[in-house]
Amino acid sequence: MYPKVWSDEKVNFLETPELLEQPKYAARSAIVFWLDKKLYISADKGVEGKYIDEVSTVINRYDKPSFSNRRGFVQEAAKIFK
């Protein structure tokens, strides 16, 4: 997917999926997912609910009841950067 991002390591997560439990690989996995799904496009539009929902739908479309909580968390976190 993004072989040049961390080309210094050759890790096979299909053979050793437990590595994804380590913070280093969990964070890298999230970054690759974010880039692969181009979630930055929606995220860069703003913190209005519809944009947060666009991202949430890709990450976990089956947990719609949590969307309102996510909107609140993102909007609260965004206040730090104003």
Side-chain angles (χ1 to χ4, degrees), residues 1-3 6-22 24-26 28-29:
M1 212 179 287
Y2 291 92
W6 293 286
S7 60
D8 60 321
E9 292 187 63
K10 305 292 184 234
V11 181
N12 186 329
F13 294 111
L14 295 176
E15 291 178 6
T16 53
E18 66 277 2
L19 287 175
L20 291 168
E21 296 172 6
Q22 296 178 17
K24 170 182 172 178
Y25 296 118
R28 288 180 177 188
S29 171

Side-chain angles (χ1 to χ4, degrees), residues 11-62:
V11 181
N12 186 329
F13 294 111
L14 295 176
E15 291 178 6
T16 53
E18 66 277 2
L19 287 175
L20 291 168
E21 296 172 6
Q22 296 178 17
K24 170 182 172 178
Y25 296 118
R28 288 180 177 188
S29 171
I31 291 167
V32 169
F33 183 86
W34 186 267
L35 294 173
D36 183 60
K37 303 299 182 187
K38 296 181 171 70
L39 295 176
Y40 51 86
I41 294 171
S42 294
D44 287 347
K45 293 177 184 175
V47 295
E48 289 88 26
K50 62 183 176 181
Y51 304 128
I52 298 167
D53 288 352
E54 284 178 13
V55 173
S56 296
T57 298
V58 174
I59 293 172
N60 193 349
R61 68 178 168 249
Y62 300 110

Side-chain angles (χ1 to χ4, degrees), residues 64-81:
K64 291 214 185 266
S66 72
F67 282 23
S68 63
N69 287 339
R70 292 180 192 197
R71 279 186 234 110
F73 295 144
V74 171
Q75 290 165 346
E76 189 65 27
K79 293 177 185 177
I80 296 170
F81 299 102

